[in-house]
Amino acid sequence: MPKSNPIAYYGKKILVFLLSVLVLSIVVFYVARLAPGDPLVSYYGERTEKMSPKEREWALKKLGLNEPIHVQYIKWLGQAFHGNFGISFKYKQDVLKVIRGRIVNTLLLGGIGFLFIFAGSLLLGIFCAWKEDRWSDRILCKIGTISSCIPEFWLSIVLILIFAVTLRILPSSGAYSTGKAEDVGDRIWHLIMPLTIVTLEHLWYYAYMIRNKILEEVREDYVLLAKSKGVAKREILFKHCLRNVMPAYLSIMAIAVPHVLGGTYVVESVFSYPGIGALSYESARYHDYNLLMLLCIMSGILVIFCNMLSQIINEHIDPRMKAHEVTEISEVTRL
């Protein structure tokens, strides 16, 4: 087995990361511009229909859309390296400024939701493993399976009808009431329903994973030996089983970040929550190329990073995976 070379190992990870982001940017750039629709409508609105051919040509040149796609991409990439991602066609502002006003809302919803899912899944999984095959475990398994199969948008609409339309105790949309952007209590009030949906849709999926992993660990030989020696069940579960399962759980939750983010995007659209998800939908709908590019790149970077983080954790859990990576690097170096 070759000795581990940290520089080569992490160098390869960084190279793969950069290449993945580059390929993502190329794909999104081409797909967005080849999709049907008129980007001038986003910038000029209804005036686009009254434009003469010369005016259209001038407008396309102004927005940099008159050149071949590969030329547009090279220019965009060059400007992106200098921190210039262009202006939003719809909002007539720098795309960074547009995103800056929305990203805090998404971080609040997605970040708090992820923490709830992380802690809730762990506690629920431990409880079900502790009560294996008892009525509480069976009921939670059935309820969890049903809740995880219900589409987010449908459950969102049901909650809106019950708590916003019928009972009128919770707001149905927005991140805060008019003029109360700094009011923490009002923001929490608007977060209740979206946060509930984000949490419920992912909670049982990961709780079931941790439950099964703990039960697998409980059936290991060392646990049977500990039981035969009279070690308490609580000590075995928390001191040994849970400790052995935690690295794998951290790896699973690293992969969960993109899934939670995707669920957050859907919930934002249903609740008209002014975050990155709603902004992504608007940018795709109105062909706001520059805004769409940056949003896709940001989301893609997060997905790629989390997948790589999960892979690194797995390779530290099982050194054989890392040894395989190092062997590949060594062979490439010799060639």
Side-chain angles (χ1 to χ4, degrees):
M1 183 182 294
K3 292 183 178 179
S4 177
N5 185 343
I7 297 178
Y9 174 75
Y10 288 106
K12 180 185 176 182
K13 296 293 184 186
I14 294 172
L15 180 61
V16 171
F17 176 82
L18 295 176
L19 287 176
S20 300
V21 174
L22 179 63
V23 171
L24 174 66
S25 68
I26 294 173
V27 172
V28 174
F29 196 93
Y30 272 77
V31 170
R33 279 159 175 74
L34 293 175
D38 190 355
L40 294 182
V41 175
S42 177
Y43 193 89
Y44 293 101
E46 296 179 356
R47 289 181 295 168
T48 307
E49 299 178 359
K50 302 177 182 179
M51 285 183 175
S52 65
K54 287 186 177 180
E55 288 174 333
R56 279 191 65 86
E57 184 178 352
W58 175 85
L60 289 171
K61 185 177 181 180
K62 178 183 176 182
L63 298 178
L65 302 174
N66 61 322
E67 297 176 309
I69 297 179
H70 69 277
V71 176
Q72 294 181 42
Y73 176 76
I74 293 172
K75 288 185 176 181
W76 176 88
L77 189 63
Q79 293 175 350
F81 275 119
H82 293 87
N84 179 17
F85 295 93
I87 65 167
S88 165
F89 296 166
K90 184 175 185 293
Y91 293 95
K92 315 295 190 299
Q93 295 179 355
D94 186 280
V95 292
L96 288 173
K97 186 176 181 181
V98 176
I99 292 175
R100 196 179 299 121
R102 300 286 193 97
I103 196 168
V104 174
N105 295 332
T106 296
L107 289 176
L108 279 173
L109 177 57
I112 297 174
F114 180 80
L115 291 176
F116 281 1
I117 293 166
F118 182 90
S121 297
L122 187 60
L123 294 174
L124 189 58
I126 293 171
F127 178 80
C128 289
W130 180 272
K131 301 289 185 180
E132 181 188 7
D133 286 335
R134 297 183 185 179
W135 66 268
S136 53
D137 176 44
R138 291 195 294 268
I139 290 175
L140 285 174
C141 286
K142 290 179 180 179
I143 294 175
T145 303
I146 294 172
S147 66
S148 61
C149 293
I150 300 175
E152 289 176 320
F153 68 89
W154 188 86
L155 189 57
S156 299
I157 293 172
V158 170
L159 289 188
I160 290 173
L161 288 174
I162 295 173
F163 294 101
V165 178
T166 305
L167 300 179
R168 296 184 180 181
I169 57 176
L170 291 173
S172 62
S173 62
Y176 49 83
S177 302
T178 305
K180 294 186 177 181
E182 306 299 326
D183 189 335
V184 177
D186 187 72
R187 278 186 171 272
I188 293 174
W189 199 244
H190 281 76
L191 274 172
I192 292 176
M193 279 203 291
L195 193 57
T196 300
I197 298 298
V198 171
T199 304
L200 286 179
E201 284 296 316
H202 299 87
L203 183 64
W204 178 248
Y205 180 81
Y206 299 105
Y208 191 69
M209 284 187 179
I210 194 71
R211 171 189 180 274
N212 289 345
K213 286 189 173 294
I214 291 175
L215 292 179
E216 287 176 8
E217 198 70 21
V218 166
R219 292 173 176 82
E220 293 291 332
D221 292 339
Y222 77 90
V223 174
L224 297 177
L225 180 61
K227 286 181 178 179
S228 67
K229 291 182 177 181
V231 180
K233 181 179 178 182
R234 184 186 301 274
E235 183 178 352
I236 294 173
L237 183 63
F238 290 96
K239 190 176 180 180
H240 300 287
C241 297
L242 186 59
R243 184 177 61 184
N244 292 338
V245 165
M246 278 307 294
Y249 183 60
L250 292 175
S251 172
I252 291 171
M253 293 312 295
I255 301 178
V257 173
H259 294 280
V260 175
L261 179 66
T264 302
Y265 283 5
V266 174
V267 171
E268 286 182 359
S269 298
V270 177
F271 285 94
S272 298
Y273 186 85
I276 299 299
L279 197 61
S280 299
Y281 170 75
E282 290 178 4
S283 63
R285 179 183 177 186
Y286 294 103
H287 304 282
D288 197 343
Y289 294 150
N290 293 330
L291 185 57
L292 180 63
M293 275 298 298
L294 187 54
L295 290 170
C296 289
I297 294 298
M298 289 172 59
S299 301
I301 287 174
L302 180 63
V303 172
I304 296 168
F305 174 78
C306 290
N307 284 324
M308 283 194 165
L309 179 61
S310 174
Q311 185 181 10
I312 291 171
I313 294 173
N314 283 328
E315 288 168 358
H316 279 80
I317 296 172
D318 186 355
R320 291 174 298 177
M321 295 177 64
K322 189 172 182 179
H324 179 67
E325 289 282 335
V326 174
T327 303
E328 289 183 345
I329 294 170
S330 300
E331 291 174 354
V332 171
T333 304
R334 284 197 298 270
L335 291 175

